[in-house]
Amino acid sequence: MRGGLRWVADGLFPRGGNPHGVLPALLILLALVTGLVDAISFLGLGRVFVANMTGNIVFLGFALAGDQELSKWASPLALAAFGAGAWTAGQVTRRTSDARRAFAAATAAHALLVAAALTVALVSGHHHTGARAALIGLLAYGMGLQNASVRALAVPDLVTNVLTTTLTGLAADIPGRSALRRSASVVAMFLGALTGAALHLHVGPALPLAAALTLLAVVAVVARRRTRRTS
């Protein structure tokens, strides 16, 4: 598997120009995770995002203005949990002074949070307020961990949470390998959202959560092994 991931990662850079090892391929997998969990949260948890905080800021404004279809508590909860996750990842990165080690730890913690969310979905469902709040909190905290730890890696043009700047770069910049990296993020998040929505609408949240957990476990294991090799 690592050979395939390295082949994908190397293909996103000019020949011999990838200093990041398998990380670029792992970030593409995390963009898939983002699409999966945001599909669950938007479609099943009351029109809220757990990854796209820009959307939640806008939704909160709509709710406070009087829109009856948007929750006044879901967006603030997601924002607070996401911020807490990002703060935690920042603390870990500063204390370890090793962005790759912090990324591996944050991804492992993210996998545990998604496992907890999957347990909530299986035991309590996702319709009543308590279960929805637990799912939003767990998933948004995990996405905060992911976004902050990925940001610290500073892999160019590969994002896992928000695509506005990525799409701007695709339209404004000269095409090249950077455009390929940006396109990979866009396609991965789209496919994650498509898959997550299809699974949620036809089966429920458990299956897309299980898919997100599987991807996170793979990323955590590979990232951990790579940090051991370089330590």
Side-chain angles (χ1 to χ4, degrees), residues 100-203:
R100 295 192 179 199
R101 190 177 298 276
F103 170 72
T107 305
H110 192 180
L112 292 176
L113 290 164
V114 172
L118 176 58
T119 302
V120 171
L122 290 172
V123 173
S124 302
H126 65 286
H127 295 293
H128 66 80
T129 302
R132 285 172 56 197
L135 289 168
I136 291 169
L138 289 166
L139 294 174
Y141 190 95
M143 293 309 301
L145 287 173
Q146 175 178 306
N147 201 41
S149 62
V150 168
R151 178 175 175 267
L153 293 173
V155 178
D157 307 307
L158 281 168
V159 297
T160 65
N161 275 40
V162 181
L163 295 176
T164 302
T165 301
T166 300
L167 292 170
T168 301
L170 276 172
D173 294 344
I174 298 172
R177 290 300 175 99
S178 61
L180 181 60
R181 294 191 294 274
R182 291 164 177 160
S183 298
S185 293
V186 173
V187 171
M189 201 176 298
F190 169 77
L191 291 176
L194 177 63
T195 302
L199 292 174
H200 177 78
L201 291 172
H202 292 93
V203 181

Side-chain angles (χ1 to χ4, degrees), residues 80-96 102 105-106 109 113 141-142 144-146 148-149:
F82 185 94
W87 180 86
T88 302
Q91 293 294 308
V92 172
T93 301
R94 284 189 288 274
R95 290 181 182 180
T96 61
L113 290 164
Y141 190 95
L145 287 173
Q146 175 178 306
S149 62

Side-chain angles (χ1 to χ4, degrees), residues 13-107:
F13 292 84
R15 181 179 293 275
N18 173 24
H20 306 286
V22 299
L23 283 175
L26 298 182
L27 299 190
I28 293 172
L29 296 182
L30 292 184
L32 280 166
V33 170
T34 297
L36 286 166
V37 298
D38 257 353
I40 296 165
S41 66
F42 186 81
L43 297 174
L45 302 179
R47 297 300 189 262
V48 63
F49 290 118
V50 293
N52 181 4
M53 293 301 114
T54 303
N56 286 330
I57 294 290
V58 175
F59 287 164
L60 179 58
F62 294 165
L64 293 177
D67 188 295
Q68 299 301 310
E69 294 184 2
L70 293 171
S71 169
K72 291 182 175 64
W73 62 264
S75 290
L77 173 59
L79 287 162
F82 185 94
W87 180 86
T88 302
Q91 293 294 308
V92 172
T93 301
R94 284 189 288 274
R95 290 181 182 180
T96 61
S97 300
D98 185 337
R100 295 192 179 199
R101 190 177 298 276
F103 170 72
T107 305

